[in-house]
Amino acid sequence: MSSPTLTNQVTEVIRQDILLGELAPGQKLVVADLKQRYNVGASPIREALVQLSWKKFVRFAPQKGCWVSPISLAELEDLFETNLVLSRVLIERAIQNGDEAWEINILTSYHKLSRINPAESEVDFVEWEQRHSQFHLALLAGSNSPIMLDLYREVYDQIERYRHIWVCRSRDYQERYHDNGEHEAMMKAVLNKDTEQALTLLNSHFQRAVEMIKAYL
């Protein structure tokens, strides 16, 4: 058995390679090849693949092996619809229940996100993605709904994979992602406790994102 720390490290490295397309959708994952690729033993590789299967990054087929999970337009649309449904409920609850600490966290996460322009050719997109995820989670964190937030994170992880595939294939950096002030507008609507405006902006934000990603699949 490998140590939990090593398994977690290997899991994250494989996850990043899947996100960045180094391990392509549908690619078969052979333990012997992964051992050589990551210079670790078989146990942490197998344990990492099991963890990634729980998050739906990889799939096992009995007696056949393991593959990077495939992608499809149908799954993408289903993920975004699920994400939107969860986000609507959570943001309504957050606006009702959020406290001062929640508001400060929103302001802080937006400031960090706004410091990176994902349309730049030399952008660290992994760092931007982390800040983007933190901002959207900050908007919802005041909901006091831990189980629903866990479901939201799981769905968001899958959307993140599609977003990375889109970015890796996009040739026009300006088209990669320019939020047109959407993140700032969402922040202000939530802090102003304008639920109707926040939901309208959220719906528009998600719809624009899914249409752009669909164009590159």
PDB file of all heavy atoms in Angstrom, residues 40-69:
ATOM      1  N   VAL A  40       6.450   6.289 -10.345  1.00  0.00           N
ATOM      2  CA  VAL A  40       5.981   5.807  -9.050  1.00  0.00           C
ATOM      3  C   VAL A  40       5.552   4.353  -9.207  1.00  0.00           C
ATOM      4  O   VAL A  40       5.456   3.838 -10.327  1.00  0.00           O
ATOM      5  CB  VAL A  40       4.794   6.643  -8.519  1.00  0.00           C
ATOM      6  CG1 VAL A  40       5.232   8.061  -8.195  1.00  0.00           C
ATOM      7  CG2 VAL A  40       3.646   6.652  -9.505  1.00  0.00           C
ATOM      8  N   GLY A  41       5.273   3.700  -8.074  1.00  0.00           N
ATOM      9  CA  GLY A  41       4.888   2.304  -8.108  1.00  0.00           C
ATOM     10  C   GLY A  41       3.456   2.077  -8.556  1.00  0.00           C
ATOM     11  O   GLY A  41       2.683   3.023  -8.765  1.00  0.00           O
ATOM     12  N   ALA A  42       3.099   0.809  -8.693  1.00  0.00           N
ATOM     13  CA  ALA A  42       1.773   0.451  -9.188  1.00  0.00           C
ATOM     14  C   ALA A  42       0.668   0.784  -8.191  1.00  0.00           C
ATOM     15  O   ALA A  42      -0.425   1.193  -8.582  1.00  0.00           O
ATOM     16  CB  ALA A  42       1.734  -1.035  -9.534  1.00  0.00           C
ATOM     17  N   SER A  43       0.951   0.628  -6.887  1.00  0.00           N
ATOM     18  CA  SER A  43      -0.099   0.835  -5.876  1.00  0.00           C
ATOM     19  C   SER A  43      -0.665   2.248  -5.883  1.00  0.00           C
ATOM     20  O   SER A  43      -1.894   2.422  -5.942  1.00  0.00           O
ATOM     21  CB  SER A  43       0.425   0.486  -4.478  1.00  0.00           C
ATOM     22  OG  SER A  43       0.621  -0.909  -4.359  1.00  0.00           O
ATOM     23  N   PRO A  44       0.177   3.293  -5.830  1.00  0.00           N
ATOM     24  CA  PRO A  44      -0.410   4.646  -5.862  1.00  0.00           C
ATOM     25  C   PRO A  44      -1.121   4.955  -7.174  1.00  0.00           C
ATOM     26  O   PRO A  44      -2.099   5.712  -7.183  1.00  0.00           O
ATOM     27  CB  PRO A  44       0.796   5.571  -5.645  1.00  0.00           C
ATOM     28  CG  PRO A  44       1.985   4.755  -5.981  1.00  0.00           C
ATOM     29  CD  PRO A  44       1.634   3.357  -5.617  1.00  0.00           C
ATOM     30  N   ILE A  45      -0.653   4.343  -8.280  1.00  0.00           N
ATOM     31  CA  ILE A  45      -1.333   4.547  -9.564  1.00  0.00           C
ATOM     32  C   ILE A  45      -2.734   3.959  -9.507  1.00  0.00           C
ATOM     33  O   ILE A  45      -3.723   4.619  -9.863  1.00  0.00           O
ATOM     34  CB  ILE A  45      -0.543   3.899 -10.717  1.00  0.00           C
ATOM     35  CG1 ILE A  45       0.786   4.618 -10.950  1.00  0.00           C
ATOM     36  CG2 ILE A  45      -1.377   3.880 -11.992  1.00  0.00           C
ATOM     37  CD1 ILE A  45       0.663   6.002 -11.521  1.00  0.00           C
ATOM     38  N   ARG A  46      -2.834   2.704  -9.046  1.00  0.00           N
ATOM     39  CA  ARG A  46      -4.145   2.056  -8.982  1.00  0.00           C
ATOM     40  C   ARG A  46      -5.085   2.796  -8.037  1.00  0.00           C
ATOM     41  O   ARG A  46      -6.268   2.993  -8.336  1.00  0.00           O
ATOM     42  CB  ARG A  46      -3.980   0.602  -8.530  1.00  0.00           C
ATOM     43  CG  ARG A  46      -3.266  -0.301  -9.532  1.00  0.00           C
ATOM     44  CD  ARG A  46      -3.425  -1.754  -9.165  1.00  0.00           C
ATOM     45  NE  ARG A  46      -2.676  -2.621 -10.069  1.00  0.00           N
ATOM     46  CZ  ARG A  46      -1.467  -3.117  -9.813  1.00  0.00           C
ATOM     47  NH1 ARG A  46      -0.870  -2.840  -8.644  1.00  0.00           N
ATOM     48  NH2 ARG A  46      -0.854  -3.894 -10.684  1.00  0.00           N
ATOM     49  N   GLU A  47      -4.565   3.214  -6.877  1.00  0.00           N
ATOM     50  CA  GLU A  47      -5.396   3.924  -5.907  1.00  0.00           C
ATOM     51  C   GLU A  47      -5.842   5.271  -6.467  1.00  0.00           C
ATOM     52  O   GLU A  47      -6.983   5.706  -6.251  1.00  0.00           O
ATOM     53  CB  GLU A  47      -4.626   4.101  -4.602  1.00  0.00           C
ATOM     54  CG  GLU A  47      -4.398   2.787  -3.866  1.00  0.00           C
ATOM     55  CD  GLU A  47      -3.316   2.891  -2.801  1.00  0.00           C
ATOM     56  OE1 GLU A  47      -2.984   4.029  -2.403  1.00  0.00           O
ATOM     57  OE2 GLU A  47      -2.797   1.841  -2.380  1.00  0.00           O
ATOM     58  N   ALA A  48      -4.953   5.938  -7.196  1.00  0.00           N
ATOM     59  CA  ALA A  48      -5.299   7.223  -7.804  1.00  0.00           C
ATOM     60  C   ALA A  48      -6.399   7.047  -8.848  1.00  0.00           C
ATOM     61  O   ALA A  48      -7.333   7.857  -8.924  1.00  0.00           O
ATOM     62  CB  ALA A  48      -4.059   7.852  -8.441  1.00  0.00           C
ATOM     63  N   LEU A  49      -6.307   5.999  -9.651  1.00  0.00           N
ATOM     64  CA  LEU A  49      -7.324   5.756 -10.675  1.00  0.00           C
ATOM     65  C   LEU A  49      -8.684   5.474 -10.053  1.00  0.00           C
ATOM     66  O   LEU A  49      -9.720   5.900 -10.576  1.00  0.00           O
ATOM     67  CB  LEU A  49      -6.898   4.596 -11.581  1.00  0.00           C
ATOM     68  CG  LEU A  49      -5.668   4.855 -12.465  1.00  0.00           C
ATOM     69  CD1 LEU A  49      -5.309   3.601 -13.257  1.00  0.00           C
ATOM     70  CD2 LEU A  49      -5.912   6.026 -13.408  1.00  0.00           C
ATOM     71  N   VAL A  50      -8.688   4.765  -8.927  1.00  0.00           N
ATOM     72  CA  VAL A  50      -9.948   4.509  -8.229  1.00  0.00           C
ATOM     73  C   VAL A  50     -10.546   5.826  -7.746  1.00  0.00           C
ATOM     74  O   VAL A  50     -11.750   6.084  -7.914  1.00  0.00           O
ATOM     75  CB  VAL A  50      -9.736   3.544  -7.045  1.00  0.00           C
ATOM     76  CG1 VAL A  50     -10.992   3.487  -6.170  1.00  0.00           C
ATOM     77  CG2 VAL A  50      -9.391   2.147  -7.549  1.00  0.00           C
ATOM     78  N   GLN A  51      -9.719   6.679  -7.141  1.00  0.00           N
ATOM     79  CA  GLN A  51     -10.215   7.982  -6.676  1.00  0.00           C
ATOM     80  C   GLN A  51     -10.749   8.823  -7.830  1.00  0.00           C
ATOM     81  O   GLN A  51     -11.783   9.478  -7.713  1.00  0.00           O
ATOM     82  CB  GLN A  51      -9.097   8.734  -5.944  1.00  0.00           C
ATOM     83  CG  GLN A  51      -8.732   8.132  -4.600  1.00  0.00           C
ATOM     84  CD  GLN A  51      -7.799   9.023  -3.800  1.00  0.00           C
ATOM     85  OE1 GLN A  51      -7.701  10.219  -4.050  1.00  0.00           O
ATOM     86  NE2 GLN A  51      -7.124   8.438  -2.831  1.00  0.00           N
ATOM     87  N   LEU A  52     -10.045   8.804  -8.950  1.00  0.00           N
ATOM     88  CA  LEU A  52     -10.479   9.575 -10.115  1.00  0.00           C
ATOM     89  C   LEU A  52     -11.763   9.009 -10.721  1.00  0.00           C
ATOM     90  O   LEU A  52     -12.544   9.749 -11.317  1.00  0.00           O
ATOM     91  CB  LEU A  52      -9.363   9.623 -11.156  1.00  0.00           C
ATOM     92  CG  LEU A  52      -8.166  10.488 -10.764  1.00  0.00           C
ATOM     93  CD1 LEU A  52      -6.981  10.221 -11.691  1.00  0.00           C
ATOM     94  CD2 LEU A  52      -8.533  11.975 -10.801  1.00  0.00           C
ATOM     95  N   SER A  53     -11.973   7.719 -10.562  1.00  0.00           N
ATOM     96  CA  SER A  53     -13.230   7.132 -11.056  1.00  0.00           C
ATOM     97  C   SER A  53     -14.405   7.612 -10.210  1.00  0.00           C
ATOM     98  O   SER A  53     -15.516   7.786 -10.726  1.00  0.00           O
ATOM     99  CB  SER A  53     -13.153   5.603 -11.039  1.00  0.00           C
ATOM    100  OG  SER A  53     -13.207   5.094  -9.711  1.00  0.00           O
ATOM    101  N   TRP A  54     -14.171   7.840  -8.905  1.00  0.00           N
ATOM    102  CA  TRP A  54     -15.240   8.372  -8.049  1.00  0.00           C
ATOM    103  C   TRP A  54     -15.658   9.762  -8.529  1.00  0.00           C
ATOM    104  O   TRP A  54     -16.826  10.133  -8.424  1.00  0.00           O
ATOM    105  CB  TRP A  54     -14.777   8.466  -6.599  1.00  0.00           C
ATOM    106  CG  TRP A  54     -14.449   7.148  -5.978  1.00  0.00           C
ATOM    107  CD1 TRP A  54     -14.872   5.910  -6.393  1.00  0.00           C
ATOM    108  CD2 TRP A  54     -13.627   6.919  -4.829  1.00  0.00           C
ATOM    109  NE1 TRP A  54     -14.358   4.929  -5.580  1.00  0.00           N
ATOM    110  CE2 TRP A  54     -13.595   5.509  -4.607  1.00  0.00           C
ATOM    111  CE3 TRP A  54     -12.926   7.741  -3.967  1.00  0.00           C
ATOM    112  CZ2 TRP A  54     -12.881   4.946  -3.555  1.00  0.00           C
ATOM    113  CZ3 TRP A  54     -12.209   7.182  -2.915  1.00  0.00           C
ATOM    114  CH2 TRP A  54     -12.200   5.797  -2.711  1.00  0.00           C
ATOM    115  N   LYS A  55     -14.686  10.521  -9.044  1.00  0.00           N
ATOM    116  CA  LYS A  55     -14.950  11.878  -9.537  1.00  0.00           C
ATOM    117  C   LYS A  55     -15.317  11.879 -11.021  1.00  0.00           C
ATOM    118  O   LYS A  55     -15.474  12.937 -11.631  1.00  0.00           O
ATOM    119  CB  LYS A  55     -13.717  12.763  -9.323  1.00  0.00           C
ATOM    120  CG  LYS A  55     -13.352  12.971  -7.857  1.00  0.00           C
ATOM    121  CD  LYS A  55     -14.391  13.817  -7.147  1.00  0.00           C
ATOM    122  CE  LYS A  55     -13.965  14.145  -5.727  1.00  0.00           C
ATOM    123  NZ  LYS A  55     -14.965  14.984  -5.023  1.00  0.00           N
ATOM    124  N   LYS A  56     -15.412  10.689 -11.612  1.00  0.00           N
ATOM    125  CA  LYS A  56     -15.826  10.510 -13.009  1.00  0.00           C
ATOM    126  C   LYS A  56     -14.814  11.044 -14.033  1.00  0.00           C
ATOM    127  O   LYS A  56     -15.161  11.324 -15.173  1.00  0.00           O
ATOM    128  CB  LYS A  56     -17.193  11.140 -13.252  1.00  0.00           C
ATOM    129  CG  LYS A  56     -18.303  10.506 -12.409  1.00  0.00           C
ATOM    130  CD  LYS A  56     -19.653  11.143 -12.686  1.00  0.00           C
ATOM    131  CE  LYS A  56     -20.765  10.411 -11.955  1.00  0.00           C
ATOM    132  NZ  LYS A  56     -20.628  10.416 -10.498  1.00  0.00           N
ATOM    133  N   PHE A  57     -13.550  11.150 -13.619  1.00  0.00           N
ATOM    134  CA  PHE A  57     -12.504  11.522 -14.570  1.00  0.00           C
ATOM    135  C   PHE A  57     -12.042  10.309 -15.372  1.00  0.00           C
ATOM    136  O   PHE A  57     -11.558  10.457 -16.497  1.00  0.00           O
ATOM    137  CB  PHE A  57     -11.305  12.144 -13.847  1.00  0.00           C
ATOM    138  CG  PHE A  57     -11.512  13.574 -13.465  1.00  0.00           C
ATOM    139  CD1 PHE A  57     -12.049  13.918 -12.235  1.00  0.00           C
ATOM    140  CD2 PHE A  57     -11.182  14.593 -14.345  1.00  0.00           C
ATOM    141  CE1 PHE A  57     -12.252  15.241 -11.886  1.00  0.00           C
ATOM    142  CE2 PHE A  57     -11.379  15.917 -14.014  1.00  0.00           C
ATOM    143  CZ  PHE A  57     -11.910  16.245 -12.779  1.00  0.00           C
ATOM    144  N   VAL A  58     -12.170   9.123 -14.801  1.00  0.00           N
ATOM    145  CA  VAL A  58     -11.813   7.891 -15.517  1.00  0.00           C
ATOM    146  C   VAL A  58     -12.939   6.879 -15.333  1.00  0.00           C
ATOM    147  O   VAL A  58     -13.764   7.010 -14.417  1.00  0.00           O
ATOM    148  CB  VAL A  58     -10.469   7.288 -15.022  1.00  0.00           C
ATOM    149  CG1 VAL A  58      -9.337   8.291 -15.153  1.00  0.00           C
ATOM    150  CG2 VAL A  58     -10.577   6.804 -13.590  1.00  0.00           C
ATOM    151  N   ARG A  59     -12.955   5.879 -16.227  1.00  0.00           N
ATOM    152  CA  ARG A  59     -13.968   4.833 -16.169  1.00  0.00           C
ATOM    153  C   ARG A  59     -13.303   3.466 -16.228  1.00  0.00           C
ATOM    154  O   ARG A  59     -12.351   3.267 -16.981  1.00  0.00           O
ATOM    155  CB  ARG A  59     -14.956   4.979 -17.323  1.00  0.00           C
ATOM    156  CG  ARG A  59     -15.849   6.204 -17.216  1.00  0.00           C
ATOM    157  CD  ARG A  59     -16.873   6.237 -18.328  1.00  0.00           C
ATOM    158  NE  ARG A  59     -17.712   7.440 -18.235  1.00  0.00           N
ATOM    159  CZ  ARG A  59     -18.650   7.741 -19.109  1.00  0.00           C
ATOM    160  NH1 ARG A  59     -18.873   6.928 -20.147  1.00  0.00           N
ATOM    161  NH2 ARG A  59     -19.370   8.838 -18.970  1.00  0.00           N
ATOM    162  N   PHE A  60     -13.850   2.546 -15.439  1.00  0.00           N
ATOM    163  CA  PHE A  60     -13.380   1.162 -15.454  1.00  0.00           C
ATOM    164  C   PHE A  60     -14.381   0.299 -16.209  1.00  0.00           C
ATOM    165  O   PHE A  60     -15.596   0.507 -16.101  1.00  0.00           O
ATOM    166  CB  PHE A  60     -13.237   0.623 -14.027  1.00  0.00           C
ATOM    167  CG  PHE A  60     -12.037   1.135 -13.284  1.00  0.00           C
ATOM    168  CD1 PHE A  60     -12.152   2.208 -12.410  1.00  0.00           C
ATOM    169  CD2 PHE A  60     -10.792   0.553 -13.464  1.00  0.00           C
ATOM    170  CE1 PHE A  60     -11.051   2.683 -11.721  1.00  0.00           C
ATOM    171  CE2 PHE A  60      -9.688   1.014 -12.782  1.00  0.00           C
ATOM    172  CZ  PHE A  60      -9.817   2.086 -11.908  1.00  0.00           C
ATOM    173  N   ALA A  61     -13.854  -0.647 -16.960  1.00  0.00           N
ATOM    174  CA  ALA A  61     -14.686  -1.652 -17.622  1.00  0.00           C
ATOM    175  C   ALA A  61     -14.224  -3.018 -17.123  1.00  0.00           C
ATOM    176  O   ALA A  61     -13.044  -3.357 -17.282  1.00  0.00           O
ATOM    177  CB  ALA A  61     -14.543  -1.563 -19.135  1.00  0.00           C
ATOM    178  N   PRO A  62     -15.094  -3.815 -16.493  1.00  0.00           N
ATOM    179  CA  PRO A  62     -14.694  -5.119 -15.959  1.00  0.00           C
ATOM    180  C   PRO A  62     -13.997  -5.991 -17.005  1.00  0.00           C
ATOM    181  O   PRO A  62     -14.468  -6.106 -18.139  1.00  0.00           O
ATOM    182  CB  PRO A  62     -16.031  -5.744 -15.528  1.00  0.00           C
ATOM    183  CG  PRO A  62     -16.910  -4.566 -15.257  1.00  0.00           C
ATOM    184  CD  PRO A  62     -16.515  -3.521 -16.260  1.00  0.00           C
ATOM    185  N   GLN A  63     -12.866  -6.538 -16.614  1.00  0.00           N
ATOM    186  CA  GLN A  63     -12.073  -7.442 -17.460  1.00  0.00           C
ATOM    187  C   GLN A  63     -11.442  -6.750 -18.672  1.00  0.00           C
ATOM    188  O   GLN A  63     -10.804  -7.405 -19.489  1.00  0.00           O
ATOM    189  CB  GLN A  63     -12.937  -8.618 -17.964  1.00  0.00           C
ATOM    190  CG  GLN A  63     -13.715  -9.341 -16.875  1.00  0.00           C
ATOM    191  CD  GLN A  63     -12.807  -9.932 -15.803  1.00  0.00           C
ATOM    192  OE1 GLN A  63     -11.734 -10.437 -16.094  1.00  0.00           O
ATOM    193  NE2 GLN A  63     -13.231  -9.847 -14.545  1.00  0.00           N
ATOM    194  N   LYS A  64     -11.621  -5.447 -18.795  1.00  0.00           N
ATOM    195  CA  LYS A  64     -11.098  -4.755 -19.973  1.00  0.00           C
ATOM    196  C   LYS A  64     -10.069  -3.679 -19.635  1.00  0.00           C
ATOM    197  O   LYS A  64      -9.140  -3.448 -20.393  1.00  0.00           O
ATOM    198  CB  LYS A  64     -12.247  -4.143 -20.772  1.00  0.00           C
ATOM    199  CG  LYS A  64     -13.178  -5.187 -21.385  1.00  0.00           C
ATOM    200  CD  LYS A  64     -14.271  -4.518 -22.212  1.00  0.00           C
ATOM    201  CE  LYS A  64     -15.197  -5.570 -22.838  1.00  0.00           C
ATOM    202  NZ  LYS A  64     -16.278  -4.931 -23.652  1.00  0.00           N
ATOM    203  N   GLY A  65     -10.247  -2.980 -18.530  1.00  0.00           N
ATOM    204  CA  GLY A  65      -9.267  -1.971 -18.171  1.00  0.00           C
ATOM    205  C   GLY A  65      -9.889  -0.650 -17.770  1.00  0.00           C
ATOM    206  O   GLY A  65     -11.048  -0.579 -17.343  1.00  0.00           O
ATOM    207  N   CYS A  66      -9.104   0.406 -17.942  1.00  0.00           N
ATOM    208  CA  CYS A  66      -9.486   1.737 -17.482  1.00  0.00           C
ATOM    209  C   CYS A  66      -9.208   2.754 -18.581  1.00  0.00           C
ATOM    210  O   CYS A  66      -8.193   2.659 -19.285  1.00  0.00           O
ATOM    211  CB  CYS A  66      -8.677   2.057 -16.216  1.00  0.00           C
ATOM    212  SG  CYS A  66      -8.931   3.694 -15.548  1.00  0.00           S
ATOM    213  N   TRP A  67     -10.100   3.721 -18.731  1.00  0.00           N
ATOM    214  CA  TRP A  67      -9.958   4.744 -19.756  1.00  0.00           C
ATOM    215  C   TRP A  67     -10.229   6.128 -19.161  1.00  0.00           C
ATOM    216  O   TRP A  67     -10.988   6.254 -18.180  1.00  0.00           O
ATOM    217  CB  TRP A  67     -10.972   4.517 -20.881  1.00  0.00           C
ATOM    218  CG  TRP A  67     -10.643   3.404 -21.806  1.00  0.00           C
ATOM    219  CD1 TRP A  67     -10.041   3.481 -23.032  1.00  0.00           C
ATOM    220  CD2 TRP A  67     -10.913   2.005 -21.603  1.00  0.00           C
ATOM    221  NE1 TRP A  67      -9.916   2.225 -23.597  1.00  0.00           N
ATOM    222  CE2 TRP A  67     -10.435   1.297 -22.735  1.00  0.00           C
ATOM    223  CE3 TRP A  67     -11.498   1.277 -20.553  1.00  0.00           C
ATOM    224  CZ2 TRP A  67     -10.535  -0.078 -22.860  1.00  0.00           C
ATOM    225  CZ3 TRP A  67     -11.591  -0.097 -20.674  1.00  0.00           C
ATOM    226  CH2 TRP A  67     -11.113  -0.762 -21.816  1.00  0.00           C
ATOM    227  N   VAL A  68      -9.661   7.152 -19.781  1.00  0.00           N
ATOM    228  CA  VAL A  68     -10.086   8.518 -19.484  1.00  0.00           C
ATOM    229  C   VAL A  68     -11.534   8.638 -19.935  1.00  0.00           C
ATOM    230  O   VAL A  68     -11.895   8.192 -21.026  1.00  0.00           O
ATOM    231  CB  VAL A  68      -9.206   9.551 -20.236  1.00  0.00           C
ATOM    232  CG1 VAL A  68      -9.721  10.975 -19.967  1.00  0.00           C
ATOM    233  CG2 VAL A  68      -7.752   9.423 -19.811  1.00  0.00           C
ATOM    234  N   SER A  69     -12.367   9.237 -19.100  1.00  0.00           N
ATOM    235  CA  SER A  69     -13.784   9.349 -19.439  1.00  0.00           C
ATOM    236  C   SER A  69     -13.970  10.095 -20.757  1.00  0.00           C
ATOM    237  O   SER A  69     -13.333  11.128 -20.979  1.00  0.00           O
ATOM    238  CB  SER A  69     -14.542  10.085 -18.333  1.00  0.00           C
ATOM    239  OG  SER A  69     -14.548   9.327 -17.152  1.00  0.00           O
TER     240      SER A  69
END
